[in-house]
């Protein structure tokens, strides 16, 4: 679990003992390609850290798939609303490659506060970081052209363009596959 331990220590600025107390609550699991981590309308009872692999968060809107996010190594994955409040999940989460995750159940997660007295502050910082990432993504989506969104995403995620169907990337960037193809062709010429 070195990946998870290192991430917890760096991302949450936790002491080694606290990292060990949290990490022991996670269990490793493997999802085969195309298997689901979560189905829409089910309650999400787990939060996972991606050790390796690629997961897609998507839903159906007006009969077409809309990709909300592509999660890769080093990201946490869950339907936060469902995990936190017990609401039916809004998203499907599917493995696009064989994926190994470290998973903590809702029941174990609820015990973390008893193990680490400063957990509420740590959790607050985590949620602020998540919210900030979402704000940045929304800002990019609203303020950048399709071409600018493509270039930003490509510069940060080059490897994904050879690993997953481009239609998922196009959907996540808020464009049609044809627009993505046109931008790629223009960039490559």
């Amino acid at each position: 679990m070195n990946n998870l331990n290192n991430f917890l220590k760096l991302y949450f600025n936790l002491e080694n003992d606290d990292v060990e107390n949290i990490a022991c609550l996670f269990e490793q699991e493997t999802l085969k390609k195309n298997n689901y981590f979560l189905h829409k309308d089910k309650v999400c009872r787990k939060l996972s850290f991606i050790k390796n692999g690629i997961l897609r968060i998507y839903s159906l809107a007006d009969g077409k798939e809309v990709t909300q996010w592509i999660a890769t190594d080093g990201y946490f994955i869950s339907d936060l609303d469902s995990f936190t409040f017990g609401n039916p999940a809004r998203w499907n989460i599917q493995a696009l490659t064989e994926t190994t995750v470290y998973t903590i159940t809702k029941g174990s997660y609820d015990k973390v506060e008893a193990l680490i007295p400063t957990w509420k502050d740590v959790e607050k910082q985590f949620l602020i970081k998540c919210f900030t990432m979402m704000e940045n993504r929304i800002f990019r989506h609203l303020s950048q052209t399709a071409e600018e969104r493509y270039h930003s995403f490509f510069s940060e995620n080059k490897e994904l363009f050879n690993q997953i169907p481009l239609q998922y990337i196009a959907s996540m960037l808020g464009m049609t596959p044809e627009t993505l193809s046109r931008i790629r062709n223009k960039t490559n010429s």
Side-chain angles (χ1 to χ4, degrees):
M1 280 202 207
N2 282 342
N3 293 23
L4 177 62
N5 291 29
N6 291 337
F7 185 85
L8 290 171
K9 186 173 183 172
L10 292 172
Y11 196 80
F12 295 109
N13 197 27
L14 292 170
E15 297 298 322
N16 286 336
D17 289 345
D18 291 339
V19 168
E20 290 300 322
N21 285 335
I22 294 174
C24 72
L25 299 174
F26 284 79
E27 292 187 25
Q28 184 173 308
E29 63 179 303
T30 300
L31 295 165
K32 292 184 179 177
K33 182 179 178 176
N34 296 323
N35 282 4
Y36 281 83
F37 174 88
L38 178 66
H39 288 278
K40 184 179 189 248
D41 296 325
K42 301 290 183 190
V43 175
C44 183
R45 292 188 167 83
K46 57 187 178 176
L47 170 72
S48 295
F49 175 80
I50 303 171
K51 178 181 178 186
N52 56 54
I54 303 170
L55 294 162
R56 176 172 75 121
I57 304 171
Y58 75 95
S59 194
L60 294 173
D62 296 326
K64 80 176 184 184
E65 288 184 1
V66 176
T67 299
Q68 187 251 26
W69 187 250
I70 307 285
T72 57
D73 306 5
Y75 279 94
F76 279 95
I77 191 85
S78 188
D79 181 309
L80 199 53
D81 178 61
S82 183
F83 181 75
T84 305
F85 301 112
N87 296 325
R90 295 173 290 175
W91 305 101
N92 294 298
I93 303 177
Q94 183 182 26
L96 298 180
T97 62
E98 183 167 304
T99 303
T100 303
V101 295
Y102 298 118
T103 298
I104 187 169
T105 64
K106 176 68 171 148
S108 292
Y109 183 86
D110 289 341
K111 295 175 186 173
V112 172
E113 189 175 0
L115 297 172
I116 301 171
T118 60
W119 181 247
K120 283 295 180 196
D121 292 329
V122 171
E123 183 181 47
K124 180 180 173 182
Q125 289 304 310
F126 173 66
L127 293 174
I128 289 170
K129 287 179 183 183
C130 291
F131 188 76
T132 301
M133 280 179 49
M134 187 176 13
E135 278 186 325
N136 290 338
R137 199 163 153 230
I138 291 168
F139 179 76
R140 278 184 183 174
H141 197 76
L142 295 174
S143 66
Q144 293 181 334
T145 65
E147 194 168 326
E148 290 169 331
R149 288 193 307 273
Y150 166 80
H151 288 297
S152 293
F153 187 78
F154 183 79
S155 70
E156 296 168 7
N157 302 282
K158 287 180 183 128
E159 71 286 348
L160 283 182
F161 284 78
N162 295 319
Q163 296 177 311
I164 63 171
L166 294 178
Q167 69 204 38
Y168 299 160
I169 294 172
S171 176
M172 190 179 81
L173 294 175
M175 61 183 77
T176 64
E178 294 79 17
T179 299
L180 178 69
S181 180
R182 190 177 68 251
I183 293 169
R184 285 176 54 104
N185 289 337
K186 181 179 172 184
T187 301
N188 294 332
S189 40

